[in-house]
Each structure stands twice: as structure tokens, then as C-alpha cells.
Amino acid sequence: MLARRFTIVCLLMGLFGMGFAILVAQAGRPARSWEMAGSCRPNCVNQFNR
């Protein structure tokens, strides 16, 4: 009974740890150029038309 609970707790902690690691890895990843182009404001399109 104790081993079963320990196993369940370990599996849940492993899943939580993997999810947290994925979130941390994505937050530290630099933005790609095509992602930055999608977040452009309307004024940055007109900066070349001066």
C-alpha cells in the first residue's frame, strides 16, 4: 500500500517536473525572426516610407 502511494506520488512529481521544464525551456528560447515579424506594430511597417 505504501509502495503504491509512493509510486503514484513519484509519477505525479515526474509529470509536474517535465511540464515545468518545458515551460522554462520555452521562456528562455529567443524569438525567431518570423515570430517577431508577426508581433510588429503598424508604425514599424511605415518606418521605411519616410
Side-chain angles (χ1 to χ4, degrees):
M1 185 71 169
L2 184 63
R4 185 180 299 167
R5 287 184 185 173
F6 181 73
T7 303
I8 292 171
V9 168
C10 286
L11 289 173
L12 288 175
M13 291 299 289
L15 287 174
F16 176 75
M18 289 295 289
F20 188 70
I22 290 170
L23 287 176
V24 169
Q26 287 180 351
R29 184 180 296 176
R32 295 186 183 105
S33 61
W34 56 271
E35 289 175 348
M36 291 174 56
S39 64
C40 187
R41 295 187 180 104
N43 289 337
C44 74
V45 175
N46 296 328
Q47 70 181 352
F48 300 110
N49 296 332
R50 290 186 182 176

